[in-house]
Amino acid sequence: MIYLHDGHIRGIGIDWGKLTEIVEEIIRLKDAGDCVHPLKPYLRFREPQNRMIAMPAFVGGSVSMAGIKWIASFPDNPRTGLPRAHNTIILNDPATGEPVAFLHSGLLNGFRTAAVSGLMLRAYIAARHPAKLRVGIVGWGPIGRLHLDMCVSLLGDRLERVTLYDLKGIDRATVPGAVRGITDIADDWRPVYHGSDVFATCTVSAQRYIDEAPPEGALLLNISLRDYKPESVARAKGIVVDDWREVCRENTDVEQLFLHQGLQESDVLTFADVICREGLHSLAAEEPVFFNPMGLAVFDIGIAGYYLREALRLGKGISLPNG
């Protein structure tokens, strides 16, 4: 089998257009019934804020890969210089079950997250046809930075302005040079929220803080899933989820809307509705789109499979003996 780590992934590089295409293919395969992803269990022990998540999946079609993602999220790790999350993926040959790759890569977790957002961004553009877009990001950790990188790549000349906010402050030198001149750093989340057409929450907030209605027509990429107070989005009609069973639990904003505002599965659009059936086209232009992606293992397996194929093609990675 092949062992790949972040250094190998960096060496292969990142193509946001290709990664969003992979996510789109997987959405269509899932909609056609050629994917399997059991409900992922959460392992908690000692400190309840810590969690380890098992995410098995099979993806058919040209991806043709099975495997499992095993990710550990320990929010206090950064205090001791460790990454908040540790991500490992095992890929298996779907014909024989033979392990073909082991990937230890936090980057892949971020790539998957931002690529899923990128596909939603593409669908939003296809439905709304904006000439220019202002992007706002709350949370300037690895996921926030990857989201800006993705937006810069996919939006090109459409990107009019960037506004960033982080509780810990942001060093302007960490903003990519290509967009530093059009980037504002805010001292509160509110100007980011109200001044953005595309607004991404990429935080590890311990408490919900967004208590105001979203701006008309905005795309809200609710990456961290626990930033909105239920009343702030209670009237939203354009709620999109990747999978209702996955996202309506674990104290997510969707679960809070279900428990306190009466939201039902029949009230939301799925990612497949958006991609396969142009679900956003049925919404009025002033309706915000509130995207809540819990994170599906099929996307992790598909993107890991792409990097495995690229590693084999480019001669990267470490070959491990089987005996």
Side-chain angles (χ1 to χ4, degrees), residues 4 8 12-13 18 22 303-317:
L4 298 173
H8 300 127
I12 293 169
K18 178 63 178 178
I22 292 169
I303 287 176
Y306 164 75
Y307 276 94
L308 170 61
R309 291 189 294 273
E310 286 296 285
L312 294 173
R313 182 177 69 85
L314 298 170
K316 295 185 180 295

Side-chain angles (χ1 to χ4, degrees), residues 41 61 77 90 119 156 242:
N77 274 0
I90 297 174
L119 182 58
D242 51 3

Side-chain angles (χ1 to χ4, degrees), residues 76-143:
D76 287 340
N77 274 0
R79 296 180 183 177
T80 58
L82 291 172
R84 179 180 186 272
H86 299 280
N87 182 46
T88 55
I89 298 173
I90 297 174
L91 297 178
N92 299 74
D93 185 324
T96 65
E98 179 185 12
V100 294
F102 181 91
L103 302 95
H104 181 199
S105 172
L107 275 178
L108 284 185
N109 185 60
F111 287 0
R112 182 269 296 164
T113 304
V116 167
S117 295
L119 182 58
M120 177 55 67
L121 176 60
R122 281 176 45 193
Y124 173 82
I125 291 170
R128 301 285 171 89
H129 307 290
K132 296 287 183 179
L133 287 170
R134 299 163 298 164
V135 171
I137 299 173
V138 173
W140 191 236
I143 300 299

Side-chain angles (χ1 to χ4, degrees), residues 184-203:
D184 300 313
I185 297 174
D187 56 8
D188 187 69
W189 62 268
R190 290 173 182 84
V192 189
Y193 187 49
H194 292 294
S196 299
D197 305 301
V198 178
F199 175 76
T201 50
C202 304
T203 76

Side-chain angles (χ1 to χ4, degrees), residues 106-180:
L107 275 178
L108 284 185
N109 185 60
F111 287 0
R112 182 269 296 164
T113 304
V116 167
S117 295
L119 182 58
M120 177 55 67
L121 176 60
R122 281 176 45 193
Y124 173 82
I125 291 170
R128 301 285 171 89
H129 307 290
K132 296 287 183 179
L133 287 170
R134 299 163 298 164
V135 171
I137 299 173
V138 173
W140 191 236
I143 300 299
R145 297 180 193 206
L146 284 172
H147 270 74
L148 180 56
D149 189 59
M150 174 274 293
C151 288
V152 170
S153 175
L154 296 186
L155 292 178
D157 292 342
R158 272 199 176 94
L159 181 57
E160 180 178 38
R161 200 82 196 164
V162 176
T163 311
L164 307 175
Y165 171 69
D166 192 287
L167 271 173
K168 298 178 181 178
I170 297 174
D171 180 353
R172 182 170 288 275
T174 63
V175 179
V179 292
R180 203 171 293 158

Side-chain angles (χ1 to χ4, degrees), residues 1-262:
M1 66 190 299
I2 300 296
Y3 173 73
L4 298 173
H5 54 56
D6 275 345
H8 300 127
I9 302 302
R10 287 191 193 94
I12 293 169
I14 182 166
D15 180 337
W16 289 113
K18 178 63 178 178
L19 294 187
T20 57
E21 287 173 8
I22 292 169
V23 173
E24 179 172 0
E25 179 185 2
I26 293 169
I27 278 287
R28 294 186 184 281
L29 289 169
K30 172 176 157 58
D31 194 58
D34 201 16
C35 289
V36 179
H37 60 101
L39 193 69
K40 55 191 179 187
Y42 286 66
L43 174 65
R44 287 189 169 89
F45 51 91
R46 295 178 180 164
E47 296 294 333
Q49 67 175 351
N50 300 333
R51 60 190 187 271
M52 302 175 75
I53 312 169
M55 300 169 61
F58 161 76
V59 182
S62 66
V63 176
S64 189
M65 190 64 68
I68 186 167
K69 173 181 177 178
W70 178 238
I71 185 164
S73 178
F74 283 57
D76 287 340
N77 274 0
R79 296 180 183 177
T80 58
L82 291 172
R84 179 180 186 272
H86 299 280
N87 182 46
T88 55
I89 298 173
I90 297 174
L91 297 178
N92 299 74
D93 185 324
T96 65
E98 179 185 12
V100 294
F102 181 91
L103 302 95
H104 181 199
S105 172
L107 275 178
L108 284 185
N109 185 60
F111 287 0
R112 182 269 296 164
T113 304
V116 167
S117 295
L119 182 58
M120 177 55 67
L121 176 60
R122 281 176 45 193
Y124 173 82
I125 291 170
R128 301 285 171 89
H129 307 290
K132 296 287 183 179
L133 287 170
R134 299 163 298 164
V135 171
I137 299 173
V138 173
W140 191 236
I143 300 299
R145 297 180 193 206
L146 284 172
H147 270 74
L148 180 56
D149 189 59
M150 174 274 293
C151 288
V152 170
S153 175
L154 296 186
L155 292 178
D157 292 342
R158 272 199 176 94
L159 181 57
E160 180 178 38
R161 200 82 196 164
V162 176
T163 311
L164 307 175
Y165 171 69
D166 192 287
L167 271 173
K168 298 178 181 178
I170 297 174
D171 180 353
R172 182 170 288 275
T174 63
V175 179
V179 292
R180 203 171 293 158
I182 60 168
T183 297
D184 300 313
I185 297 174
D187 56 8
D188 187 69
W189 62 268
R190 290 173 182 84
V192 189
Y193 187 49
H194 292 294
S196 299
D197 305 301
V198 178
F199 175 76
T201 50
C202 304
T203 76
V204 291
S205 179
Q207 295 181 332
R208 290 174 169 85
Y209 56 92
I210 297 176
D211 56 2
E212 301 176 11
E216 284 191 1
L219 172 60
L220 311 176
L221 300 171
N222 190 19
I223 311 308
S224 35
L225 294 170
R226 298 168 184 88
D227 292 58
Y228 291 81
K229 293 185 177 182
E231 57 271 21
S232 68
V233 285
R235 297 184 179 180
K237 295 181 176 64
I239 299 176
V240 182
V241 302
D242 51 3
D243 186 280
W244 175 265
R245 290 187 316 142
E246 288 284 9
V247 79
C248 190
R249 60 188 185 124
E250 290 292 326
N251 190 35
T252 65
D253 295 335
V254 168
E255 186 185 35
Q256 292 301 303
L257 287 168
F258 169 73
L259 293 173
H260 301 294
Q261 301 291 336

